[in-house]
Amino acid sequence: MRLSSHVVPKLKDPSLFREAAFINGQFVQAKDGKTFDVHDPASTDRIATIPELSVSEVQDAINIARDALKSFRRTLPRERARMLRKWYDLIMENQEDLAALITWENGKPLADARGEVAYAAAFFEWFSEEAPRMYGDNIPASVRENRVVTVKQPIGVCGLITPYACTRCPSSIPGSPTHTICFSKRWNFPAAMITRKIGPALAAGCTIVAKAPEETPLTSLAIAELANRAGIPKGVVNVVTALKNTPEIGKELCTNPIIKKVSFTGSTGVGKLLMQQCSSTLKKLSLELGGNAPFIVFDDADLDKAVSGAITSKFRSSGQTCVCANRIYVQDAVYNEFSKRLAEKVKGFRVGSGYHLENTHGPLIHERAVGKVQDHVEDALKKGGTVLAGGKGLDHLGPNFYEPTVIANMTSDMRIHREETFGPIAALFRFNSENEVVDLANEAEVGLAGYFFSSDIARIWRVAEALEVGMVGANTGLISDVASPFGGVKESGFGREGSKYGIDEYTVIKSITFGGVGELQG
């Protein structure tokens, strides 16, 4: 393997670097020897060679997970809690190595990667505490001699899917549908996306088969290595890998009758396709899909806090998050001042390798992502937009780097207004009234997250209730929290991850009626 000519992380524990799929507690290669390459987005050099599993090998993994379920579902909740807590401890003990892997394969700055590792581990900690609290209910019966109770039980084997890579044309993948699908986004948080699905699944007593993201599989595989060390029984956690075979593997997970639940984080187009495929076996689904988040600045907002919130929301991970601000609406009276302050801050960003601590932002995941950003910038400029900061690729750093950008004078006929950019563009729109901006914000077919800044408590309640999104940030640009339910409405999907609600996605409710109880005797 030819390693990156730029920065190559030196892991304290080199055994966390795994170039193999994880099935039945073992790291395995594809039976036919096929592989695909993983690249460093900063240097574009190959950094790993990963097995290209076939559908039959994924079927084997599903069967193994089914067999493991027979005993794992009978483990005591407190036993599962201890496993998850041990896994949490191991992730935190290896935080630096995991952060190094994230920066290497994802590109985000090392400080951000460390934060992601802590966030990812927190899902194991949280659900280790939820496992013993899968409470049922005692329900007063309408028949005098009956008693009714409910219990929550694990739904079964779960498939965790990331079927398509960002902005890849589906026609380039054999077996892909011909209609337009955009992208899967689990590569943007390669640690957190997998732990917030596996954590509740295991807490509930389920077993899983997870498809690792093809751009960033190394983090998932390192976490799988730590599963062994945490004492997770063989076959409970399986991580499969593929690039070209991804569509067929996704279809297998959706249509195989052994799989009882599918959880997917990615684009709305792919989510619709998976929902169609899952209908053949009526699987339970959780879908966290595309976003087009509005970020609203009212004229009574604290502008310094609003600018800080916009930077946090928009430019985190170089704009490659599903909840980042995509349409920034600023009320007329403060538009010019807000634009000026935001542009000044953005001009002070440092872009480069994520390993260099002085850099605030890293590369985009690949050239296709850069191409979409550039298309959105050019479209805005053609239609009257004005660049206040950035607006160009940074070719001297590499093909995947793009300047953090601020564009003013945006209008609703521009692509950014209706399309999720998934890149570092802060697009500034003007508005006049509260009713106007809420209508503009709610025009989107998707509804994942929304943000606004105001000092009027009555307005805060009104707007928070009126926004058609699953998550609202009022006077904050950071809403991700393991304690808070994560998910959207409309075409952003359904189901919730994290929080006390997250474990319910992996359970079924069974009612038990006891007849003939009657009255006290004697």
Side-chain angles (χ1 to χ4, degrees):
M1 183 183 74
R2 183 174 70 89
L3 296 177
S4 168
S5 61
H6 288 61
V7 177
V8 179
K10 294 181 180 179
L11 303 183
K12 297 176 183 177
D13 182 355
S15 66
L16 291 177
F17 179 80
R18 293 287 187 170
E19 296 178 280
F22 183 75
I23 298 175
N24 202 24
Q26 297 181 333
F27 286 94
V28 300
Q29 299 296 323
K31 292 177 181 177
D32 60 9
K34 292 183 178 179
T35 61
F36 66 93
D37 294 333
V38 177
H39 295 87
D40 175 358
S43 68
T44 71
D45 288 342
R46 177 167 59 89
I47 60 176
T49 301
I50 304 296
E52 178 79 43
L53 296 191
S54 65
V55 170
S56 65
E57 288 167 301
V58 173
Q59 290 170 340
D60 291 342
I62 294 171
N63 292 333
I64 287 166
R66 175 199 58 198
D67 294 342
L69 179 68
K70 296 173 185 176
S71 58
F72 189 69
R73 71 184 304 155
R74 294 197 300 270
T75 55
L76 293 174
R78 185 60 65 185
E79 292 178 292
R80 301 196 293 272
R82 293 191 186 104
M83 293 177 196
L84 286 169
R85 178 68 200 201
K86 179 61 176 175
W87 206 355
Y88 161 80
D89 290 338
L90 287 167
I91 289 176
M92 293 309 298
E93 289 170 13
N94 292 276
Q95 183 177 18
E96 286 300 308
D97 279 353
L98 292 171
L101 287 173
I102 290 172
T103 296
W104 201 21
E105 64 179 349
N106 171 279
K108 68 177 61 176
L110 196 56
D112 287 354
R114 291 190 186 107
E116 183 190 340
V117 174
Y119 177 55
F123 285 101
F124 286 163
E125 180 183 41
W126 178 271
F127 286 108
S128 75
E129 297 160 350
E130 289 294 302
R133 296 173 177 82
M134 284 175 45
Y135 300 133
D137 290 306
N138 177 33
I139 301 173
S142 59
V143 177
R144 186 178 300 277
E145 294 189 352
N146 288 355
R147 303 292 185 269
V148 179
V149 298
T150 63
V151 295
K152 292 180 180 179
Q153 296 183 316
I155 193 169
V157 181
C158 301
L160 315 179
I161 306 177
T162 59
Y164 298 96
C166 177
T167 65
R168 177 179 289 120
C169 172
S171 63
S172 67
I173 307 175
S176 294
T178 56
H179 61 80
T180 300
I181 329 178
C182 59
F183 47 87
S184 161
K185 298 175 291 190
R186 202 165 115 197
W187 52 261
N188 61 351
F189 288 93
M193 290 298 99
I194 194 168
T195 61
R196 77 181 186 192
K197 296 178 189 296
I198 292 178
L202 267 60
C206 300
T207 59
I208 67 101
V209 177
K211 166 65 173 62
E214 52 262 39
E215 295 93 346
T216 58
L218 300 177
T219 305
S220 301
L221 297 171
I223 290 173
E225 165 62 26
L226 296 177
N228 268 347
R229 302 182 195 180
I232 308 297
K234 291 183 178 180
V236 170
V237 172
N238 305 277
V239 181
V240 299
T241 58
L243 174 61
K244 291 182 179 179
N245 293 337
T246 291
E248 291 84 359
I249 288 173
K251 184 177 181 181
E252 179 63 28
L253 290 172
C254 287
T255 57
N256 191 305
I258 294 172
I259 299 287
K260 303 302 181 186
K261 156 74 188 244
V262 164
S263 178
F264 169 68
T265 297
S267 74
T268 295
V270 174
K272 290 178 179 179
L273 174 65
L274 298 184
M275 193 170 179
Q276 291 173 356
Q277 293 175 345
C278 285
S279 67
S280 64
T281 53
L282 292 178
K283 297 189 194 308
K284 190 173 185 178
L285 277 166
S286 296
L287 300 174
E288 191 266 286
L289 307 176
N292 187 352
F295 186 104
I296 303 167
V297 182
F298 289 102
D299 56 12
D300 59 359
D302 181 318
L303 287 191
D304 286 336
K305 290 182 179 178
V307 168
S308 178
I311 288 171
T312 299
S313 175
K314 174 68 260 185
F315 292 105
R316 183 183 180 201
S317 297
S318 296
Q320 297 175 113
T321 78
C322 53
V323 294
C324 76
N326 200 62
R327 298 167 291 155
I328 302 177
Y329 297 106
V330 186
Q331 201 157 14
D332 254 340
V334 295
Y335 185 92
N336 290 338
E337 183 62 23
F338 178 87
S339 302
K340 176 184 174 183
R341 294 190 195 185
L342 180 64
E344 287 175 354
K345 291 285 188 180
V346 171
K347 288 175 182 177
F349 291 166
R350 293 274 310 258
V351 181
S353 168
Y355 288 112
H356 298 154
L357 298 183
E358 70 273 14
N359 291 332
T360 58
H361 295 78
L364 300 186
I365 191 66
H366 44 48
E367 289 186 67
R368 295 184 299 278
V370 174
K372 185 175 184 181
V373 170
Q374 186 60 48
D375 287 348
H376 277 192
V377 170
E378 291 175 359
D379 174 76
L381 295 183
K382 288 177 183 177
K383 296 172 182 176
T386 303
V387 171
L388 303 182
K392 303 187 300 296
L394 297 169
D395 295 339
H396 64 285
L397 295 176
N400 298 336
F401 289 91
Y402 199 91
E403 288 182 309
T405 298
V406 179
I407 304 180
N409 302 319
M410 298 294 294
T411 56
S412 59
D413 63 333
M414 297 176 184
R415 287 179 58 188
I416 291 176
H417 193 262
R418 64 182 183 275
E419 297 178 13
E420 183 180 27
T421 303
F422 226 63
I425 305 174
L428 307 182
F429 299 78
R430 289 180 184 267
F431 75 93
N432 293 308
S433 70
E434 184 179 306
N435 282 335
E436 175 195 5
V437 76
V438 169
D439 287 344
L440 287 168
N442 290 342
E443 280 182 2
E445 295 178 344
V446 292
L448 188 57
Y451 309 84
F452 65 91
F453 279 73
S454 171
S455 60
D456 182 336
I457 190 65
R459 169 178 276 166
I460 289 172
W461 274 110
R462 288 194 305 269
V463 175
E465 290 175 343
L467 289 177
E468 295 173 356
V469 296
M471 298 172 285
V472 173
N475 291 324
T476 180
L478 184 62
I479 58 174
S480 296
D481 185 335
V482 66
S484 176
F486 193 101
V489 298
K490 300 198 294 189
E491 292 196 10
S492 287
F494 45 80
R496 292 297 180 266
E497 295 185 313
S499 82
K500 70 174 185 177
Y501 304 107
I503 197 169
D504 290 341
E505 301 291 336
Y506 295 88
T507 66
V508 290
I509 296 175
K510 177 182 288 184
S511 65
I512 305 172
T513 301
F514 297 88
V517 177
E519 304 290 341
L520 287 173
Q521 302 296 307

